[in-house]
Amino acid sequence: MAAVTTLHSRRIHAAAEDDPFEFFFEQGLTDGLPVVPPTEERVQRMLAETERDPQEVLGTIGPNYGRATVEKVAINAVMAGCHPSYFPTILAVAEALSDEKFNAHALNVTTFSATPLTIINGPVRNEIGVNCGHNALGHGFRANATIGRMVRLCIMNIGGAKPHQITKATMGHPAQYTFCVGENEEESPWEPLHVEKGFRPEQSTVTLFGGHSPFQINDHASRTAEQL
């Protein structure tokens, strides 16, 4: 576990009589939903899950190319409601988000309504409780919901992509709040995505993809495979 370190991020102090949840709305630091106040104690608990230097720069996040330090990612992870045990996975997601090949800048300013889809593979899915099966893109699972939400908060608070400002998505869609899923490797007839990409089955990986809203196709008329 990492030792307690001095945090370098700018402090924002709310008056004693202020509602902390309303305060963050007023500061423009939320995605439209209440956030967990990132107190120093909570941020330290998140940072304790890694040996990496809190001031290490994982990369920059477009469109404003803000510096995504380990500490700043931890702050946004706390705000999103992530459990500290998710933090090693969160750091991998933040690095992928900062990778030039992912081109977060274009994704965050386009008039198209795509958003980063996070796909988690390997043993870490079960270790942190990622839902990979029934209702995998639905509600009710903390790891899926909060890791995906952390991506959006980092895009807004580090990358500067604020709606009605630099973000130009014409319609938008609900997955812009959170879009995170684990692959159901155990029941899939295909080899897992990370194995297809050259990793070993026992390795844990994250993949970011510029995804659009999901389309569900239903057929309630067919009764045989041939009809379908």
Side-chain angles (χ1 to χ4, degrees):
M1 303 291 281
V4 173
T5 60
T6 301
L7 303 181
H8 289 69
S9 296
R10 177 173 62 94
R11 264 61 169 182
I12 302 177
H13 297 284
E17 64 273 15
D18 285 345
D19 183 321
F21 296 99
E22 294 297 334
F23 177 79
F24 280 95
F25 280 115
E26 293 165 3
Q27 295 294 316
L29 298 174
T30 83
D31 53 3
L33 295 170
V35 295
V36 177
T39 61
E40 183 160 345
E41 180 183 8
R42 291 184 178 120
V43 174
Q44 292 283 10
R45 284 203 297 267
M46 194 70 66
L47 291 171
E49 294 296 319
T50 181
E51 297 290 342
R52 299 175 76 161
D53 184 341
Q55 303 316 309
E56 178 187 348
V57 178
L58 303 171
T60 59
I61 300 175
N64 287 355
Y65 293 96
R67 289 157 54 91
T69 64
V70 171
E71 179 181 313
K72 289 189 181 300
V73 171
I75 291 169
N76 283 278
V78 169
M79 292 171 67
C82 296
H83 190 273
S85 63
Y86 307 166
F87 198 51
T89 303
I90 287 167
L91 291 177
V93 174
E95 288 183 312
L97 183 63
S98 303
D99 193 312
E100 289 185 2
K101 294 190 293 294
F102 181 63
N103 198 6
H105 175 106
L107 194 63
N108 293 329
V109 301
T110 179
T111 55
F112 191 50
S113 299
T115 192
L117 165 62
T118 301
I119 305 169
I120 301 178
N121 280 97
V124 74
R125 297 167 303 132
N126 298 321
E127 293 168 8
I128 64 174
V130 176
N131 179 21
C132 308
H134 177 68
N135 201 37
L137 288 175
H139 63 287
F141 297 89
R142 183 179 181 181
N144 301 57
T146 61
I147 292 173
R149 189 185 187 199
M150 175 277 307
V151 172
R152 177 55 51 188
L153 289 177
C154 285
I155 288 170
M156 292 180 59
N157 296 330
I158 301 176
K162 304 280 187 175
H164 284 199
Q165 297 179 27
I166 222 166
T167 297
K168 300 299 182 184
T170 305
M171 294 294 291
H173 67 94
Q176 289 176 316
Y177 282 102
T178 180
F179 209 12
C180 175
V181 69
E183 183 176 355
N184 189 350
E185 300 173 17
E186 291 75 15
E187 297 185 42
S188 173
W190 301 288
E191 66 178 0
L193 176 63
H194 68 314
V195 175
E196 180 182 329
K197 297 297 182 182
F199 293 91
R200 299 188 307 276
E202 66 272 17
Q203 289 181 289
S204 294
T205 70
V206 299
T207 303
L208 259 62
F209 174 78
H212 194 242
S213 51
F215 295 90
Q216 296 193 38
I217 300 171
N218 293 277
D219 175 7
H220 294 282
S222 297
R223 292 295 179 264
T224 67
E226 290 76 15
Q227 286 178 320
L228 179 61

